[in-house]
Amino acid sequence: MDIVEKFIGTHELTRKEYIELLRCSSDCSVSEKLSEEAVRLRKHYYGDKVYTRGLIEFTNYCRNNCYYCGIRRDNKHISRYRLTGQEILDCCENGYELGFRTFVLQGGEDPWFTDDRLVEIIRAIKAEYPDCALTLSLGEKSCESYRKFREAGADRYLLRHETADDEHYRTLHPEEMSLRNRKQCLYYLKALGYQVGAGFMVGSPGQTTENLAEDLIFLKDLSPHMVGIGPFIPHHETRYAKERAGSVQLTLFLLSVIRILLPKVLLPATTALGTLDPRGREKGIQAGANVVMPNLSTVKNRKQYDLYDNKICTGEEAAECRGCLSRRVESAGYHLVNERGDAL
Ligand code: 5AD
Ligand code: FES
């Protein structure tokens, strides 16, 4: 129990200590103690508010080939789509009426969306909705591109680092990608004044306790404003089709750990967590998460943004997801709010 007390007191541990802490993840008394402290911290900073982000998955074309991902380049068995600028704006309009004050533009690394095209879309959204925050999640770009998007009005950027261990990174990604570049992107984004989100999958193929300790050390060092974590879920058209999915319990444990590590962090209860457990997102909120990210994309394309198998919410309209999540958040004892929800 010593190690738990130390972590709660100092919000940081050594590599060896993180490993020791993580080895207790199946010990109920430890996870209870951590979630209690995580909830205390999230209530201290955020009360019972849960922020909501309207996710617009605007293209499933991707030049990358991450081995775990269903929309990777070499998957020839999915139909590709990209939304037009007008369709993206229509998603925002629908979202705004439903109370969303943050839009997240997420897509594969699609070369059709040049910097100029993206800048035009960013400008249009910010001109139409000046009271809303705009988050981008477009993968790895040059510092120059990130600067253009920032100048066009983008406020935040999500780029999960996926794993902070070099060797593990290599087993998840092809040769042409590197952890070094990914980390560099995150530091550029921070320097450009974005609110930045990093994160990783829990239980991705080959992930060890040591790897997770490395993720925690990296997160503490980067100190991002947001951290996205969700369980790995196999996709049938990938080399990891037969791998086991990540554990819901370990994901919840890590949500509490990350809340304590970075007390003010914006921490979503992810769709992947809701996919593996029907009450996953509620449990995530009760473990220390304070954000949910329902889908605003056009229903006709929902199923095509197929990162992993059995993804939930692919048949529901934005309004249905909003209502559903609002009820779920209430049932967990919290309130969904119509605010931008900026980092403190
Ligand atoms: N299971 C769970 N999460 C996945 N992602 C990609 N593929 C999978 C999968 N098979 C996550 C990655 C990426 C985010 C958009 O989705 O962490 O950063
Ligand atoms: Fe989409 Fe529940 S959040 S149906």
Side-chain angles (χ1 to χ4, degrees), residues 94-164:
N94 184 18
Y96 193 87
E97 277 162 16
L98 292 169
F100 290 96
R101 294 297 176 267
T102 293
F103 303 120
V104 182
L105 276 187
Q106 184 172 90
E109 293 190 16
D110 179 356
W112 188 88
F113 284 98
T114 58
D115 286 359
D116 288 348
R117 283 177 171 146
L118 287 165
V119 162
E120 195 185 320
I121 292 167
I122 294 164
R123 286 224 179 93
I125 294 174
K126 290 298 286 192
E128 195 84 28
Y129 305 99
D131 57 330
C132 293
L134 181 58
T135 306
L136 304 178
S137 180
L138 316 171
E140 297 177 26
K141 305 267 177 188
S142 69
C143 185
E144 214 25 66
S145 302
Y146 288 147
R147 186 194 314 280
K148 287 185 204 160
F149 304 155
R150 178 88 185 107
E151 281 166 2
D155 304 281
R156 308 180 186 145
Y157 205 103
L158 303 177
L159 183 71
R160 290 189 178 177
H161 63 282
E162 311 297 359
T163 171

Side-chain angles (χ1 to χ4, degrees), residues 7 18 21-22 34 38 216 252-262 287:
F7 184 51
Y18 281 130
L21 182 73
L22 290 163
L34 290 173
L216 297 176
L252 296 172
F253 184 89
L254 281 160
L255 283 171
S256 298
V257 167
I258 291 167
R259 168 64 60 207
I260 297 168
L261 187 76
L262 304 166

Side-chain angles (χ1 to χ4, degrees), residues 66-71 106-107 137 158-162 182 199-202 205 228-235 238 240 272 305-309:
C66 308
Y67 299 143
Y68 47 83
C69 181
I71 67 168
Q106 184 172 90
S137 180
L158 303 177
L159 183 71
R160 290 189 178 177
H161 63 282
E162 311 297 359
R182 205 151 182 99
F200 56 90
M201 292 175 288
V202 178
I229 67 163
F232 161 76
I233 304 174
H235 184 286
T238 64
Y240 293 134
Y305 203 81
D306 188 24
L307 303 179
Y308 47 80
D309 288 343

Side-chain angles (χ1 to χ4, degrees), residues 281 294 302 312-313 316-317 320-322 324-325 328:
R281 287 165 297 178
R302 286 284 178 91
I312 53 170
C313 297
E316 283 79 6
E317 293 288 347
E320 291 176 67
C321 282
R322 171 93 189 181
C324 168
L325 269 173
R328 287 173 185 274

